[in-house]
Amino acid sequence: PAMAPSGLSVGDEKVRSAELLLQLGNMHRRQNNTTNAESNYQSALNVASQTQNLVTEASALDGLGEIYHSQSRYREAEEVFNKAHEIHSRIGNDIGTANALYGLGKTYRTQSRYREAEEAFNKANKISSRIGIDIGTANALFGLGEIYGARSKYQEAEEALKKAHEIHSRIGNDMGTANALHGLGEIYRNQSRNREAEEAFTKAHEIHSRIGNDLGTANALHGLGVIYHTQSRNLDADEALKKAHEIHSRIGNDLGTANALSDLGEIYRAQSRGGEAEVAFKKAHEIHSRIGDDLGTANALRGLGQLHLLQHRNQEAENCLTQAQHIYSFIRNDMGTGNTLRCLAILFSERGQSEEAQSLLCQALSAYNRAGSSFSQAQTLPLLAAVYLIRDNFLGVEESLHEALIIGIQLNDDKLQAYPLELLSGIFSSDSKYSATLAAPLHAEGACGRAGDDHIIRGAALHDKGKAFLAQSKYGQAEEAYSLAQNIFSRAGDRRGEASALRSLGTLYTLQRRLDWATNRFAQARSTSVAISDCDGELMALGCLMGVRLLQSKCAGLRSYCVEALKIYDRTQWSGSKVSSAPPGDGVTTS
């Protein structure tokens, strides 16, 4: 009978056999030969379990997790990564523990389970940093960057991905460097920083091509295709996505193939090439369904639904969008849920079913809130305002537009601010048919019956925005912001805030040499302050009025205001310096 070589027991042979099978699995996985890789990993796992070789057993589980994740078999991936994590932790293998956590983070991220993913990546980052494993730290930072990006926390995402890029570059890990560049490209694209995105994707494509990483090359081409589409460079977009599709098909990456088809469908839809778009979406749907990728299946259905909506094939649109919505809800993908509900709301609104549209938009806002996407909320709130307008709910219109505007201010996004600011200014114009309705006091509850916004904070944010516009010499936008702030303060009963906004309007009009208007606003500010016995506010308004009289060379008026101010000063012992100089952005420039 066959015998083990001298000096080696049967157990030793099995240990070596398990380790060899593990290395074969790693080799096949690097070559994208997932079938053989999975077979080798499973064999390594079986042998390692028999010999109680815990290190190899856990490593084989890690390998299987990577294979399952690449095939969108997320439940199986989560199961084996959890087993690997338990073994690595039990035997004190910090490197293995961090790797398993990274695998779990990826699996959660792909399923849009962002909180769990962030927790896993943070733990992996903490372990890798503690034991000085640079590549593990960089990988965890990359994962965190993707999570922050998915939650629209772009500053944190950019910071994490730049750190990952620096580490990978320093240790000479080309693959990691290219992946970090790709991640940065996605972050830049989501912020419409298209030139930076194109540069990042181009560099990633160059590195992946040089090292022969077909998967990375295809992903970078995909990213470039999406950027070109955003820039309306549709021929370039078509070419890049077709190349990405060809590579994914050649290496047998069904997920990448289907994703490329979905984005080709988006391009064809935008170009009114409805037939080609439908074919692409249906092929993508077939592949995603076959490989069990629920997220991709839902995305393809949503693409088809949006296409049918444009083609006025409303029943087919509703069917596709409803199916997509069920899947998104099942896999707990809040962004997909919100996007699909918004599409359905548009469909119902076009049918004249405004009550249903309102309900769907409120549900969409809740989904975006759970996903942490303020940007999507700001895009959706004007749609809700339009539905409220159809239903003659003018206070709902105002609340929705105010909320959209405040989010735009918080995100420092001029485009998000411009539309609600323009609409609100029209609503509050003196000849607006809604102005009488909107003169009523603000209620405690806002859009969708949510707990009432802090209207004073909202007014203060608008007031600050007006000051920023004024500093940039954007006088029209400053006037709109100040006027809205004054209206909110007035209706919220905040007289000090109202007087401050009136003084700011007076300052703006003074700078524009609209001195009669300025006098009127400063006088209103003074009256408002007097009504609440606010001597500070009254003296500031008097100081502003003195400035206007000085510009008008009306010495009698200047003397009169000065006497009144001195009387208040004598009565209150108020600091005389405030009479002649109002706070920054709140007074009059006389030079």
Side-chain angles (χ1 to χ4, degrees), residues 298-412:
N299 288 340
L301 283 166
R302 180 160 58 87
L304 270 173
Q306 290 173 306
L307 174 64
H308 294 328
L309 194 58
L310 287 173
Q311 296 170 326
H312 303 292
R313 296 159 61 182
N314 289 349
Q315 190 56 55
E316 291 170 273
E318 184 178 353
N319 290 341
C320 289
L321 291 170
T322 302
Q323 289 180 59
Q325 170 57 22
H326 288 326
I327 297 172
Y328 286 131
S329 297
F330 177 72
I331 64 176
R332 295 183 292 175
N333 186 303
D334 291 322
M335 280 300 296
T337 296
N339 291 337
T340 307
L341 286 167
R342 189 166 64 184
C343 290
L344 282 166
I346 292 170
L347 173 61
F348 280 101
S349 181
E350 289 181 352
R351 287 177 174 172
Q353 297 173 265
S354 58
E355 185 176 352
E356 291 83 351
Q358 177 183 323
S359 174
L360 289 166
L361 287 169
C362 288
Q363 292 176 56
L365 288 168
S366 296
Y368 290 138
N369 183 56
R370 291 194 301 273
S373 178
S374 299
F375 184 86
S376 298
Q377 287 178 289
Q379 288 184 313
T380 304
L381 283 161
L383 296 176
L384 182 59
V387 173
Y388 281 140
L389 188 59
I390 292 170
R391 307 191 71 198
D392 292 333
N393 182 350
F394 305 131
L395 290 174
V397 173
E398 183 201 2
E399 290 285 343
S400 300
L401 292 175
H402 270 306
E403 193 171 347
L405 177 58
I406 294 302
I407 293 172
I409 291 171
Q410 291 169 343
L411 296 177
N412 196 27

Side-chain angles (χ1 to χ4, degrees), residues 213-231:
N213 179 21
D214 286 337
L215 179 60
T217 301
N219 287 337
L221 284 166
H222 193 148
L224 283 168
V226 175
I227 285 295
Y228 295 148
H229 174 50
T230 303
Q231 297 171 323

Side-chain angles (χ1 to χ4, degrees), residues 406 442 452-464 484-485 488-498:
I406 294 302
L442 290 165
D453 297 318
D454 189 335
H455 300 296
I456 295 174
I457 292 176
R458 181 186 296 172
L462 282 166
H463 196 181
D464 288 341
L484 288 170
I488 290 174
F489 285 134
S490 173
R491 294 170 59 211
D494 180 2
R495 297 306 179 203
R496 279 187 173 80
E498 182 183 0

Side-chain angles (χ1 to χ4, degrees), residues 58-115:
S59 297
L61 287 166
D62 284 326
L64 282 170
E66 295 291 343
I67 295 297
Y68 296 151
H69 181 269
S70 71
Q71 295 175 333
S72 306
R73 296 158 64 183
Y74 301 127
R75 291 183 181 84
E76 294 168 271
E78 182 178 350
E79 182 181 351
V80 295
F81 278 132
N82 269 318
K83 287 181 180 177
H85 175 258
E86 187 276 324
I87 294 172
H88 286 307
S89 299
R90 177 155 45 89
I91 64 177
N93 180 8
D94 286 336
I95 295 176
T97 302
N99 287 339
L101 284 166
Y102 179 72
L104 277 169
K106 287 195 304 182
T107 304
Y108 294 142
R109 181 195 65 210
T110 311
Q111 298 174 84
S112 302
R113 295 162 62 182
Y114 297 134
R115 288 183 177 85

Side-chain angles (χ1 to χ4, degrees), residues 70 141 165 218 234 238 251 274 276 292 310 397 403 504 531 554:
S70 71
L141 285 166
H165 176 261
N234 290 325
D238 198 358
I251 65 176
E276 293 167 276
L310 287 173
V397 173
E403 193 171 347
S504 293
K554 294 183 178 180

